[in-house]
């Protein structure tokens, strides 16, 4: 038996890989698939509101309930939060940790303002007797807008968690990947809200 054959028989089998098992491309692909599933959820909710949006059950209509000035301010809060998150990503590319945290904090303030105004609107609608059980229109409205609000709430929790992570561990590759995923999620919620503002509020009041 040759020396080469003896060496080959002495080699131990390898049962694992030393390379990174969680590559960045797979993370981004997986998150895109998640966003597509979220698109389907909102598509169903928009379609439901399209069917039930005129079923007032002798109750109030959108023109009777919605304050477009308040909704416009709320929309501005969310759109501004998207811009400030973009600034945070630019600072991340410059590897500027503190500037990234500042812009993420500003984004969180705008996000909190959006949620506060949305809760204020819900509170006054229910106070006026226009709760989700009043009519099919209001059921579909509260479900659609409330689902979007829950997504923003989860985004806020994610944002705060990432701020803690960045402050503690810096802008390492893992935190950069997480910030990119949250960026996609946050901008996705902006796009959905533009649809809500146009389809639910503007068409409901002016249509």
């Amino acid at each position: 038996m040759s020396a080469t054959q003896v060496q080959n028989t002495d080699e131990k089998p390898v049962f694992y890989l030393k390379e990174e098992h969680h590559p960045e491309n797979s993370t981004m692909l997986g998150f895109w698939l998640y966003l597509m599933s979220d698109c389907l959820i909102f598509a169903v909710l928009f379609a439901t509101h399209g069917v039930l949006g005129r079923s007032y059950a002798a109750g109030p209509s959108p023109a009777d309930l919605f304050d477009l000035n308040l909704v416009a301010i709320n929309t501005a809060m969310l759109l501004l939060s998207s811009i400030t998150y973009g600034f945070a990503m630019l600072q991340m590319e410059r590897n500027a940790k503190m500037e990234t945290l500042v812009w993420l904090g500003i984004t969180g303030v705008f996000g909190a303002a959006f949620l506060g105004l949305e809760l204020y609107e819900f509170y006054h609608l229910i106070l006026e007797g226009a709760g989700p059980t009043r009519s099919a229109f209001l059921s579909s409205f509260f479900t659609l807008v409330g689902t979007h609000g829950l997504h923003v709430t989860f985004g806020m929790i994610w944002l705060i968690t990432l701020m803690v992570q960045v402050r503690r561990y810096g802008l390492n590759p893992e935190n950069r990947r997480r910030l990119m995923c949250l960026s996609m999620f946050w901008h996705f919620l902006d796009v959905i809200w533009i649809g809500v503002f146009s389809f639910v509020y503007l068409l409901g009041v002016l249509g």
Side-chain angles (χ1 to χ4, degrees):
M1 183 178 295
S2 66
T4 304
Q5 290 175 322
V6 172
Q7 184 179 0
N8 289 340
T9 57
D10 291 340
E11 289 181 357
K12 295 180 179 180
V14 178
F15 295 104
Y16 63 91
L17 297 175
K18 295 182 180 179
E19 291 83 2
E20 184 182 359
H21 69 282
H22 197 192
E24 182 176 355
N25 288 341
S26 65
T27 299
M28 301 306 289
L29 175 61
F31 201 77
W32 272 110
L33 292 175
Y34 159 72
L35 289 180
M36 293 304 101
S37 68
D38 245 9
C39 277
L40 293 176
I41 292 174
F42 280 105
V44 170
L45 294 177
F46 274 112
T48 302
H49 186 77
V51 173
L52 302 177
R54 301 289 180 180
S55 302
Y56 305 136
S61 68
D64 301 322
L65 296 174
F66 297 153
D67 181 356
L68 288 184
N69 292 326
L70 178 66
V71 179
I73 294 173
N74 211 18
T75 301
M77 293 296 102
L78 196 60
L79 294 180
L80 286 171
S81 75
S82 187
I83 295 172
T84 56
Y85 198 102
F87 288 148
M89 296 302 292
L90 290 175
Q91 296 302 323
M92 183 194 77
E93 292 298 324
R94 293 180 57 245
N95 205 32
K97 173 182 168 181
M98 291 310 300
E99 289 82 353
T100 301
L101 287 172
V102 168
W103 284 112
L104 289 175
I106 296 172
T107 301
V109 170
F110 282 129
F114 172 84
L115 288 174
L117 288 173
E118 189 167 283
L119 290 173
Y120 173 83
E121 180 188 34
F122 280 8
Y123 171 77
H124 279 272
L125 287 177
I126 294 172
L127 204 63
E128 294 172 3
T133 60
R134 179 63 183 82
S135 64
F137 150 66
L138 285 168
S139 295
S140 63
F141 165 77
F142 274 94
T143 302
L144 173 57
V145 178
T147 300
H148 179 272
L150 281 176
H151 278 71
V152 176
T153 303
F154 294 144
M156 288 287 295
I157 296 171
W158 190 2
L159 176 68
I160 294 169
T161 303
L162 272 182
M163 288 181 68
V164 173
Q165 292 289 315
V166 170
R167 185 176 182 85
R168 190 169 185 179
Y169 301 110
L171 294 168
N172 56 28
E174 292 78 12
N175 282 337
R176 286 172 179 267
R177 183 168 60 234
R178 293 161 185 158
L179 286 169
M180 282 294 299
C181 289
L182 179 56
S183 175
M184 294 163 57
F185 181 74
W186 202 264
H187 295 313
F188 167 76
L189 294 181
D190 273 7
V191 172
I192 295 297
W193 182 256
I194 290 172
V196 172
F197 178 69
S198 304
F199 181 62
V200 176
Y201 288 100
L202 285 182
L203 285 181
V205 174
L206 304 177

